[in-house]
Amino acid sequence: MDAEFVISAARPDQFPVETLPEIAFLGRSNVGKSSLLNCLTGKTGLAFTSAKPGCTQLVNFYRVNGQFHFVDLPGYGYARVPKDITAQWKQLIEQYLLHRRSLELCFLILDSRRGWMEKDLELRQWLEFHNRRYQVIATKMDKLRTQKEQRRQEAAIRSQSPDEPLAFSAIACRGVREIWQAIQKIKTQQQ
């Protein structure tokens, strides 16, 4: 797969020209957005990952197969940064989500161990209010110890999701095929 970093944008005027459909990766800090992006592209290290929340601080654009831009957005929630910085992130994210005509799909990413948290529900409502198409992905499924625990968490996430959530594990890149199928649906609908 051909995937390359395009730009890290700190302001909307730095966003690239809208020539390709865009897929945005949204979620709390440290939920696994960058790990998911790396698994989807098969390029370890394309997107920087860290155990420390708040490492993605800009809007990062990646060109994938010359067909899409994957857009890795800063996380919301817990991050050890000053409140004025998180307010700037929020404003930047809102500018992106409100004004990008090429934005075709948002992946709303949840940590399966935590399920829906207040800020996730707020984001879901915001996306629905602004008519932004989204798909829920539950990450870190491998961190749930038992199948019973996995089923319980999947049911809790499903109860708040309009569509069937997609399960993902970064350790084995489990769930990549299903996520690519969701992306391909977008491409098919454009034709």
Side-chain angles (χ1 to χ4, degrees), residues 14-184:
Q14 296 174 329
F15 295 163
V17 176
E18 297 184 68
T19 56
L20 297 172
E22 294 176 357
I23 313 294
F25 295 74
L26 302 158
R28 294 180 62 78
S29 297
N30 213 33
V31 76
K33 295 180 299 295
S34 299
S35 296
L36 172 58
L37 199 146
N38 287 338
C39 278
L40 286 172
T41 61
K43 304 263 185 191
T44 305
L46 179 68
F48 179 74
T49 60
S50 172
K52 179 184 163 203
C55 284
T56 302
Q57 299 187 5
L58 303 171
V59 178
N60 296 310
F61 290 81
Y62 303 89
R63 187 175 10 266
V64 179
N65 282 344
Q67 298 177 338
F68 299 100
H69 276 143
F70 282 178
V71 185
D72 191 7
L73 294 159
Y76 51 86
Y78 177 77
R80 290 185 184 177
V81 293
K83 288 186 189 238
D84 62 324
I85 299 293
T86 57
Q88 289 172 12
W89 290 353
K90 182 177 187 231
Q91 185 177 8
L92 183 63
I93 292 167
E94 283 185 2
Q95 288 296 310
Y96 172 80
L97 292 173
L98 281 172
H99 301 294
R100 290 300 274 192
R101 293 179 313 275
S102 55
L103 177 58
E104 296 290 334
L105 178 64
C106 297
F107 283 129
L108 176 50
I109 303 166
L110 307 176
D111 183 329
S112 62
R113 299 169 300 175
R114 313 266 185 280
W116 288 97
M117 298 180 80
E118 184 178 339
K119 291 207 180 278
D120 302 315
L121 293 168
E122 288 173 9
L123 176 58
R124 187 194 73 197
Q125 291 169 348
W126 191 95
L127 292 170
E128 290 171 351
F129 179 81
H130 292 285
N131 295 313
R132 285 297 190 181
R133 182 183 306 170
Y134 69 94
Q135 170 68 56
V136 176
I137 297 176
T139 61
K140 304 188 181 188
M141 293 300 290
D142 52 293
K143 307 249 181 191
L144 298 171
R145 292 189 184 107
T146 66
Q147 285 186 341
K148 182 178 180 182
E149 193 176 14
Q150 287 178 2
R151 284 192 302 272
R152 185 179 64 236
Q153 285 302 99
E154 285 175 349
I157 292 170
R158 190 178 307 114
S159 72
Q160 296 284 330
S161 302
D163 297 315
E164 185 69 24
L166 301 174
F168 174 74
S169 167
I171 292 176
C173 288
R174 191 181 97 221
V176 165
R177 183 174 51 92
E178 293 81 1
I179 295 167
W180 269 112
Q181 287 171 346
I183 293 169
Q184 291 304 321

